[in-house]
Amino acid sequence: MAISTEPEAALSVLPRADGSAKYSHAGYTVTASVNGPIEAQRRDEHAYEAVVDVIVRPAAGAGGTRERHLESILQSSLSQIILIKNFPRSLIQIVLQIESTPENDYVNTKLVQASLNFPIIPALLQTAVLALLSAAVPMRATATASVVAVVPEGQTKRMVVDPSPRDLDIAKSVHVLAFTSHDELLLAESEGDFTVKEWDDVYETAQRICCRPATTAETDMAIDDEAAGPDMRHFLRSTMETKIAADLHWK
Amino acid sequence: MAATEQPIVLPGDAIDPSLIPTHKKQPLRLGPGLRHIPPSYIVPTVAGQLVTDQKKNSMWIEYNSTRYIPSANDLVIGQVQRSATDLYYVNLSPYTSNAMLPHLAFEGATKKTRPQLAAGALVYARVTLANRHMDAELECVSATTGKAEGLGPLVGGMAFDVSLGLARRLLMARSREAGGVEVLELLGAEGLAFETAVGRNGRVWVSSDSAKTIVLVGRALRETDEGDLGVEKQRKLVKKLIRGMR
C-alpha cells in the first residue's frame, strides 16, 4: 500500500463557486467550495458577525451524526480565523465533499457509523483553509492541522503522524491539533487513554509539523530528519504562491 | 523569505517594516486586503501580492476573486430588482443583499421626471456609501456637478460576468500597458463597432447594433479571463474569433 505522504492541492477547481480547493493527503481526498459573504437567511443571521456554515458530505451515502460532529468542530475553528466581524448579517458557506478515505488492508473495512473520525479532520480543515484563501475571504491568519496517534510498541509507545488505518486500530489514543500561522493552538481534540506527558509529546510533534518557521523551510529541507513529517505551513505557502502568480500573470 | 520589492503575503503574515511607505506630509493609505490593528500593526487579510506606492503613500494587496464587496467610489453595474416608493433595489452580485439607488439620484431627475426602470434593467452607478452594517447606496449622478458623467441606465446590450481582477484591469487608465488587456482595442481595430461599460463588481456590459458583435466581444472577454491569456494570446484569440465570424 503506497499512500503518498506528501500533500497535494489544486485551487479554484470549481468554476461557479467563489473559491474552491481539492486536497489530498495520507489517503484522504477532499474537495471544498466556499461561497461568501452572501446574504444569510433571516433566521440564521447574526447582527454583528458573519455566520459560518460548514457542511460535510461523506464519500458515500447521506451525512449523519458523525458529519454533524465534524461540522461543529470545524465551524468553531474556522470562525476563529475568518474575520466574521467584518461581515455582519452575512453568511460564509463552506461545503466539504469527502471523495476518498484510506482503506484498511488488514481488516475488511465496513463503515462503522458510530465511531468518531478524527484522522479526517486535518484534511477537512486544510481543504477549507485553501478554499477560503482561493475565495479571498478576509482572514485573521491561516491554519495548519495534523493528526497524531499514540501507538503501543511492545512496552513503549510511539508517536505516529498521519497514522494508517492499521495504526489507528491499535492506537491507544488519537489526537488532532491545529495551529494558526501565529503559532496559536486553534483546535485540540483527543480520543482514548493518554497521560499528560503523552499529550505534551503529541503537542510537540504536531507543532513541529504545523509551525515550522518559514525562514528555515527552504534552507533546512535537506537536513531535516525523516521523522519530522511534512511541513504543512511551507506547503500552504507554496500552493498559494503558485495560484497568486497565475492570477497576476499580467503584472 | 527574501525581502523582495513586492512579496507575496498570506493572511496574518508580518509585513517587513522597510516595505511600508513613509511620507512626510500625506497620511498612509491602506487599500484592499490590509487591516490596521492599533497602534502600529498592518496585517494582510487575503492572499496576494503586496504592492506599495511611495508617491501616493499607499499600499494594498493585489489579488483576484469573484465575490464583490462594495466599497465607496467604485463604479458598478447593477441590475434593478424592484422599485420602492422613492428608491430602486439594485443587485450588485448574486445572493447578496440589494444596494439602494434613490429615484432622484439620476441626472436632472425630479419627482415628476425620473427614469422609469423595470425589474431586470441594468444601471451603471457609483457606490456612495459602503458600510458593513448597512446596505450599499448608489448614485447615477455626480453629487458635485449634477451631471451624469457617463452613469445611468444601460439600454440594450448585454452584461457578461468576469473575475474582479479582470474588471479592475479593464478599468485601469492604461489597461494595455498596466493591466495587460488589449482584447477590446484589438476587436475595435478589426472594425467591430461596440461600446462597453465595466463594473468593478465583475460585470462588463457590451452594446452594439449587431447581436453577433455583442456575443463575440463577450466571448473574447470571458475566454481572456478564464484562460489567463497574455497580450500575445489575446491577439491570437481575436484573430480566431474574427475568422470564425466571417
Side-chain angles (χ1 to χ4, degrees), chain B residues 225-242:
Chain B
D225 191 22
E226 279 155 21
D228 290 342
L229 303 185
V231 174
E232 201 47 52
K233 282 193 177 158
Q234 287 171 31
R235 281 199 191 118
K236 271 190 195 142
L237 172 74
V238 166
K239 274 200 192 117
K240 198 185 88 190
L241 286 171
I242 293 285

Side-chain angles (χ1 to χ4, degrees), chain B residues 66-157:
Chain B
T66 51
R67 178 63 57 184
Y68 177 68
I69 297 164
S71 98
N73 289 322
D74 278 354
L75 294 176
V76 292
I77 293 176
Q79 188 171 34
V80 174
Q81 295 292 316
R82 60 197 169 86
S83 176
T85 45
D86 55 353
L87 51 87
Y88 291 111
Y89 285 102
V90 177
N91 182 265
L92 295 182
S93 60
Y95 307 112
T96 54
S97 54
N98 292 328
M100 294 183 291
L101 174 62
H103 283 167
L104 297 179
F106 291 89
E107 187 184 32
T110 64
K111 284 232 158 140
K112 295 217 173 75
T113 62
R114 56 178 181 82
Q116 299 287 332
L117 298 176
L122 295 172
V123 283
Y124 197 30
R126 183 189 296 109
V127 180
T128 49
L129 181 124
N131 181 318
R132 61 184 168 189
H133 290 294
M134 291 150 78
D135 288 338
E137 280 178 29
L138 309 175
E139 65 175 12
C140 287
V141 63
S142 165
T144 47
T145 61
K147 290 279 189 303
E149 291 174 358
L151 304 177
L154 298 171
V155 185

